[in-house]
Amino acid sequence: MPSLTVISQEISIYFGIFVFITGTIGGSFNIIVFLSLKTFRESACVFYLTILSIVNIGILITGQLTRILISGYNIDWTQTSLFYCKFRIYSLQTSTLISMTCICLAILDQYFSTSLPIRYRQLSQIKIAHRICGLIVCFWAVVNCPYLIYYTHIQSSSVQNQITCSTTNNAFLQYVNYVSAISLARIMPLIIMGIFGFLSHKNIQRLSHRTLPIIRRELDKQLTLMIFTQAIVACLIILPYIVLYFVMMIPNLDSNTLTQLKFVSSLCSAIYYLYFSSPFYIYFCSSSRFRRQLKYVVFDIYVRQCRPQQIHPNQIAPQIS
């Protein structure tokens, strides 16, 4: 019977490849659809979702692809390159925080857009979204600079010539464990998604009592349903990861229990990347309007442009003067 280590390794390889491929394809489709339709290009909520899709592809490349190479092919660039050791943890943490912030901003924008007070609806503007996203990217890029400073190559004391990419600064390690990786990147986004996703869903039920253009009303219903479904899926994926993270912090665990927890942790980590690869498929399954928009963009815009134009012969007989 294969050991838990072998099973977790196989899951990391094959399930990881599946998540990486489907996530990259799905994220690319999101970007194409969102940028191809004028209705989406003028929506602040969709702008946040576009940035989220771009960042999620980067997370899958730096995070999931590296895990696949380490587990399947024993290729660990974080051990051979100090630059990649620092760059991977920095870009992965920064991209994760940007992604979580974007989904929270998208939910907040839908709450403002569907609210009754006009002062709330005025906050849902594409120009404001551009500025906020620029500030958010710069903010997290600066806040996470300590990852570039404190993460380095450390010689393992248990295995000879074994190098790990980690930090020896205890204060920064506590910040990473309890503030950056858990509170900012997981717990707080889930709270915001849960509260404002529910409020946006309640606002949508009252849209029929307001005089709005039918196109705007249908777009708000579509986006709220897509984001509300994504928030539910995010809770189902991330909550087990958070619970297990705190269980692993319990001191004095016996070796057998620790081995089993490490196996469960590898499963949760593999499932965790589903959050970054699933948005396109959530939108596709939850919104029939999105499916029609996808079909229109792919077949009526791009496939038709790729077809060679047919030159029809002149069927009108020339007139002889």
Side-chain angles (χ1 to χ4, degrees), residues 142-163:
V142 172
V143 167
N144 289 313
C145 282
Y147 283 92
L148 297 174
I149 300 173
Y150 292 113
Y151 266 77
T152 185
H153 281 163
I154 298 175
Q155 185 74 37
S156 177
S157 58
S158 58
V159 181
Q160 188 177 6
N161 297 328
Q162 178 71 34
I163 297 176

Side-chain angles (χ1 to χ4, degrees), residues 15-42:
F15 185 72
I17 292 175
F18 169 78
V19 170
F20 174 74
I21 294 175
T22 56
T24 305
I25 295 174
S28 301
F29 273 126
N30 275 343
I31 297 170
I32 292 172
V33 173
F34 292 154
L35 295 180
S36 298
L37 298 177
K38 183 179 179 181
T39 305
F40 283 154
R41 291 197 303 268
E42 296 176 347

Side-chain angles (χ1 to χ4, degrees), residues 103-115 120 188-204 223-224 227-228 231:
I103 186 61
C104 291
L105 290 173
I107 292 177
L108 284 170
D109 182 85
Q110 275 307 108
Y111 168 72
F112 293 144
S113 177
T114 57
S115 295
Y120 288 168
M188 289 181 62
L190 287 185
I191 294 174
I192 295 174
M193 282 189 279
I195 294 175
F196 288 95
F198 175 76
L199 293 176
S200 300
H201 185 70
K202 296 293 290 184
N203 286 344
I204 282 296
L223 294 178
T224 302
I227 297 175
F228 184 69

Side-chain angles (χ1 to χ4, degrees), residues 24 40-41 83 95 101 118 123 140 158 174 176 191 242 246-247 253 269 274 279 282 296 301 318 320:
T24 305
F40 283 154
R41 291 197 303 268
F83 168 78
S95 300
T101 305
I118 190 171
L123 296 175
W140 289 126
S158 58
Q174 295 297 317
V176 171
I191 294 174
I242 296 174
F246 284 109
V247 172
L253 294 173
S269 297
L274 276 177
I282 293 173
Y296 172 77
I301 296 180
I320 301 176

